[in-house]
Amino acid sequence: MMRNSSLLDEAYELCEEGKYTLALEYYDLVLFKDSKNITALINKGVTLQTLEKHAKAIKCYDEALKVEQNNIDALVNKGAALHTLGKFHDAIDCYDKALKIQPKYAMAIAYKGLSLGEIGLLKDAIKCFNAALKIDKKFDLALNNKTIALELLKNNTKIKPKFIKKG
């Protein structure tokens, strides 16, 4: 029987080759032997997200967080899965927890910006994108979405009705 580390390596390779369903079987083998293996739980979650099985992915991240409540990868990935499901406030909660652990985590900040943008808080989203770009000046996700948010904000201000004072 293979050891967990070689099973995890094999699962990773399968994912690289696009063989996600088979990779899931390897993660399940690891988890059968060690149900609290953080790497297997998180990587299984990522693989499930790749297969667009976001609710199942969230269950994996929740299991990982039971083992290690401050696992930043589990928190950020759970946030991303929640975002995809349209649960933007819950996603923001995950990003905020991750940022309490690691305040200068550019990806968590930028992802929070995405969720804030989705609920219409464009100015807050732009602040997040700017903060992420201070940490990583070449962070495409933050740069591209900042541009989109600025454009949306500009268009929103054009659309707002002007109130006419009655004289």
Side-chain angles (χ1 to χ4, degrees):
M1 192 58 110
M2 284 196 250
R3 292 191 6 252
N4 282 351
S5 59
S6 58
L7 284 171
L8 286 171
D9 291 342
E10 189 63 31
Y12 180 82
E13 289 300 318
L14 289 166
C15 286
E16 290 293 302
E17 296 168 14
K19 298 176 181 171
Y20 303 112
T21 307
L22 189 55
L24 289 173
E25 291 179 25
Y26 278 75
Y27 291 129
D28 285 340
L29 275 173
V30 173
L31 293 168
F32 178 75
K33 291 198 260 176
D34 177 10
S35 64
K36 295 180 180 188
N37 186 303
I38 292 284
T39 304
L41 287 167
I42 293 172
N43 289 353
K44 180 180 178 182
V46 170
T47 305
L48 287 164
Q49 272 184 275
T50 302
L51 294 170
E52 298 187 19
K53 296 180 179 184
H54 303 287
K56 286 183 178 182
I58 291 167
K59 287 180 182 175
C60 289
Y61 302 134
D62 285 339
E63 285 302 311
L65 291 167
K66 284 180 192 172
V67 177
E68 196 178 296
Q69 72 181 38
N70 289 335
N71 187 293
I72 201 153
D73 293 323
L75 287 166
V76 172
N77 287 325
K78 179 180 177 183
L82 288 164
H83 178 99
T84 303
L85 293 174
K87 297 180 179 184
F88 305 116
H89 293 283
D90 292 338
I92 292 166
D93 289 343
C94 287
Y95 303 137
D96 284 342
K97 286 177 187 169
L99 291 167
K100 281 183 183 155
I101 300 160
Q102 192 175 330
K104 293 191 183 263
Y105 190 28
M107 184 180 292
I109 298 167
Y111 280 13
K112 179 179 177 180
L114 291 175
S115 290
L116 287 166
E118 289 290 345
I119 59 174
L121 299 174
L122 294 172
K123 287 180 181 175
D124 292 330
I126 292 166
K127 285 179 190 172
C128 285
F129 298 137
N130 284 336
L133 288 165
K134 276 185 183 173
I135 298 164
D136 180 355
K137 289 173 183 33
K138 295 180 181 178
F139 193 8
D140 287 343
L141 178 102
L143 197 56
N144 295 339
N145 284 288
K146 175 185 172 183
T147 305
I148 293 167
L150 285 168
E151 193 62 33
L152 287 169
L153 197 60
K154 190 172 85 175
N155 290 339
N156 277 349
T157 53
K158 286 180 188 171
I159 296 169
K160 287 184 183 167
K162 303 243 187 300
F163 293 100
I164 301 167
K165 290 182 183 176
K166 293 183 179 176

